[in-house]
Amino acid sequence: FFFVSIFFRTKMLHRCISASRRMGRPQGIRTLFQCMAPLLARRLPFLTVPSAQCTDGDVDVYAPYDNKHIASIPSTDAAGIETALTTAYSVFQDRSKWLSTSRRVEILKKLCTLMEERVEELTIEAAQEGGKPYVDSKVEVLRAIDGINVCIETLRTQAGTEVPMNLNASSAGRLAITRHEPVGVVVAVSAFNHPLNLIVHQAIPAVATGCPVIVKPAEDTPVSCWNLVKLLREAGLPAEYCQAVVTKDVVNAEKLVCDPRVAFFTFIGSAKVGWMLRSKLAPGTKVALEHGGAAPVIVAPDADIDMAIGSLSKGGFYHAGQVCVSVQRVFAPKSMAREVAARFAEVARIQKIGDPTEPETEVGPLIRHREVDRVHQWVTEAVQGGAELLVGGNKVSDSCYECTVLYDPPKDAKVSLMEIFGPVICVYPYNHIDEALERANNVPFQFQAAVWTK
C-alpha cells in the first residue's frame, strides 16, 4: 500500500509540475500549489533554540475558505516557553554575541532579496491560511518587504543626540551625548489578519535594533510567521535572535508575556485581551498595544460622492472587513445619506466572493466559521431593531458572508457600537455636523477616524 501511494503521489506531482510550467510563473505556481494542496499539509518544526520537546500535541492549521488542512505545528509547552526565554535573555546578556549595526543591515538586505525571490509563494500561503484575496495578499507581501527596507533606512539615519553642556560652571568643559542600544528581550503577540506584514511590523524592528525577539503568531495563521523566521535564519540571523512559538495553553502564553526577563511587549489583537495582559506585565516592561474599534467616517456636505464611494467601499469590504481600520460606520448628511447608501449597495452587489488564492476574487472568507455566524447574528439583530437592509445579509457558505449595507441601524445595535470584523458597512443620516461628531465618538474604542470633504 505504501509503495502504491508513493507511486500515485509522484505521478500527481509530475502532472502538477508539467501544468505549472505551461502556464508561466505566477499562474503556474498557483496551479502547482492548488493541485498539490492535499500533499502539502506538513508538520512544521519547533523554532525555539535549542529545539524543545513537545508534550502538548500539535496546533493544526486549516484554510478558512475550504477547511483544508495546511499544516501542523507543535504546541510549545511550559518547558519550551522557558527554553525560549532563557535563550533570548542569555544572548542579550552576553554582549560578545551582540550583532553590529552593519551585520544587522546585511542580514535585513539579504532577507529582502530572499523575499523578493519568493513573492509568489509567500503570497499564496498568506492568502490560503488567512483568507485575504490573492491580489491584496501580494500587496501585503510587497509592503512587508518595504517595511524591512524602512528599518534599514532607519538604522542609517537615526542616531543619538548631543545634550547641551557648557551652560554653567558645573557643565563647563563637558560633553554629553545619548546613543541607542537594544532594550532587551522583545515578545511579540500577533493577529491573524495580516499574517506576514504584522510579524514584520513587530519582529523586524526588534531584529534591526539588536533585540532578541520571541514571536507568537495567531494560531489560525502561523505559517507565514514560520516562513519569515526561517528566511531570517537563511539570511544569516543567528537562530537565538528570533524564535517563534505557538501554544494551546493560555497559562503558557501568559508565562511568555509576563516574565520579568521581557523588556518590551508588543501586542496586536482585541482590546480585552491586550489590556488584560498589560495589567499582568512585570514591573518595568515597556508595552505597545494595537487594537481595533468601530471606525467612523464622516461624509461632509461638500464631499464628491463619486470619489468617495470607491475608496470607502474598498475600506469596508477589504479582507471581508477583518481589518482594525475597516470602514464600518459612515455618517452622511440627511440629504445625501440615501444616495450614499445606495451607491455602497451597488458596489457590494458586484463583489466577487470566493477562493482567496484566485486572482479574480475580491472578498474572501472570514477566518473562522463561527465568525460568519456571529456577523449574521449582529446583522439580523440590527434589522430586527429597525435597520434597513439594502443588500447582503446572508451567509454565502460556512466560511463566507455577503457584502452587506445597512441603513440607519439603531444607536444601541452591536453594529453601531462594536467592531464587527465582517464585510458590513452602516450608513447613518445626520442633520448637523455636531450630531455626526457626537455619534462618531460615542464608542469605547476606535483605531482610526476619517472625514471625507473637499
Side-chain angles (χ1 to χ4, degrees):
F1 175 80
F2 172 79
F3 288 108
V4 171
S5 175
I6 291 296
F7 170 78
F8 281 110
R9 286 169 182 256
T10 304
K11 191 172 183 180
M12 183 186 299
L13 175 61
H14 284 305
R15 288 177 178 174
C16 291
I17 292 173
S18 298
S20 69
R21 285 173 175 168
R22 291 195 300 270
M23 296 178 181
R25 180 174 171 79
Q27 181 60 36
I29 290 176
R30 281 194 301 275
T31 301
L32 180 61
F33 188 88
Q34 290 164 353
C35 69
M36 287 182 63
L39 311 179
L40 290 178
R42 59 202 188 277
R43 191 171 193 272
L44 300 181
F46 272 110
L47 289 182
T48 57
V49 183
S51 187
Q53 295 300 311
C54 172
T55 60
D56 280 357
D58 288 345
V59 172
D60 292 316
V61 186
Y62 297 92
Y65 177 67
D66 53 16
N67 209 38
K68 285 182 180 176
H69 183 218
I70 301 172
S72 295
I73 298 178
S75 175
T76 305
D77 56 19
I81 296 296
E82 178 59 33
T83 295
L85 286 165
T86 298
T87 299
Y89 189 69
S90 296
V91 73
F92 176 71
Q93 291 294 104
D94 185 351
R95 293 181 74 98
S96 69
K97 294 183 179 179
W98 284 21
L99 303 175
S100 67
T101 302
S102 60
R103 179 61 180 142
R104 284 178 263 136
V105 169
E106 180 184 339
I107 290 168
L108 294 178
K109 281 185 174 181
K110 178 63 174 177
L111 174 62
C112 287
T113 300
L114 293 172
M115 292 178 68
E116 286 165 355
E117 293 171 351
R118 305 175 195 186
V119 166
E120 197 67 27
E121 294 91 329
L122 293 171
T123 296
I124 294 171
E125 291 218 297
Q128 189 187 41
E129 73 167 342
K132 186 190 300 174
Y134 170 86
V135 172
D136 296 323
S137 288
K138 176 164 282 188
V139 172
E140 177 185 346
V141 173
L142 296 176
R143 186 180 171 196
I145 295 170
D146 185 62
I148 299 167
N149 280 312
V150 168
C151 288
I152 295 171
E153 290 307 310
T154 302
L155 288 176
R156 293 181 184 277
T157 57
Q158 192 174 81
T161 58
E162 181 179 347
V163 181
M165 302 298 282
N166 295 299
L167 301 176
N168 50 37
S170 63
S171 64
R174 299 180 183 275
L175 175 68
I177 61 172
T178 64
R179 57 173 291 177
H180 296 151
E181 288 198 350
V183 69
V185 176
V186 175
V187 167
V189 174
S190 202
F192 76 86
N193 50 344
H194 307 291
L196 181 64
N197 198 41
L198 293 184
I199 303 298
V200 165
H201 282 185
Q202 294 176 280
I204 297 302
V207 172
T209 53
C211 294
V213 58
I214 304 169
V215 187
K216 180 188 174 297
E219 289 183 19
D220 294 303
T221 56
V223 176
S224 292
C225 174
W226 251 244
N227 289 339
L228 181 68
V229 174
K230 288 188 288 185
L231 287 174
L232 269 168
R233 295 179 179 182
E234 186 177 339
L237 183 72
E240 59 265 27
Y241 266 95
C242 188
Q243 305 174 81
V245 300
V246 292
T247 178
K248 296 187 290 187
D249 192 325
V250 175
V251 174
N252 289 338
E254 286 192 14
K255 173 180 171 57
L256 171 66
V257 170
C258 303
D259 192 279
R261 290 167 289 186
V262 176
F264 192 96
F265 171 52
T266 165
F267 174 86
I268 300 176
S270 73
K272 179 181 179 181
V273 174
W275 287 108
M276 179 274 292
L277 289 173
R278 182 182 182 275
S279 71
K280 297 183 177 183
L281 294 179
T285 300
K286 297 177 174 64
V287 61
L289 304 178
E290 181 179 320
H291 307 313
V297 176
I298 295 177
V299 177
D302 68 345
D304 185 327
I305 301 303
D306 291 331
M307 291 182 62
I309 292 300
S311 294
L312 295 179
S313 296
K314 179 66 174 179
F317 301 138
Y318 171 78
H319 197 3
Q322 300 169 111
V323 185
C324 57
V325 294
S326 182
V327 173
Q328 180 176 330
R329 300 181 300 140
V330 179
F331 298 89
K334 193 171 184 178
S335 61
M336 302 164 55
R338 280 282 178 185
E339 179 188 358
V340 169
R343 296 285 292 276
F344 279 135
E346 290 174 7
V347 176
R349 288 188 184 95
I350 62 174
Q351 297 300 295
K352 181 174 172 51
I353 302 171
D355 185 347
T357 64
E358 293 292 343
E360 299 80 13
T361 297
E362 295 171 299
V363 178
L366 272 68
I367 191 64
R368 291 176 289 272
H369 291 177
R370 66 175 180 270
E371 294 302 307
V372 180
D373 295 331
R374 179 190 58 77
V375 169
H376 184 62
Q377 180 184 6
W378 286 23
V379 170
T380 301
E381 288 177 0
V383 172
Q384 291 173 347
E388 182 178 345
L389 178 64
L390 299 185
V391 68
N394 296 296
K395 295 195 292 184
V396 177
S397 64
D398 288 341
S399 62
C400 297
Y401 198 77
E402 288 181 331
C403 293
T404 299
V405 178
L406 297 173
Y407 184 77
D408 202 16
K411 294 181 180 180
D412 60 352
K414 289 188 178 72
V415 296
S416 299
L417 297 174
M418 302 166 67
E419 185 177 30
I420 192 167
F421 240 54
V424 180
I425 295 177
C426 305
V427 179
Y428 305 85
Y430 68 84
N431 292 307
H432 192 274
I433 193 70
D434 288 340
E435 175 193 351
L437 287 168
E438 181 182 356
R439 293 191 64 183
N441 290 324
N442 190 31
V443 291
F445 306 105
Q446 51 198 34
F447 194 53
Q448 65 93 6
V451 177
W452 195 283
T453 180
K454 290 182 179 177

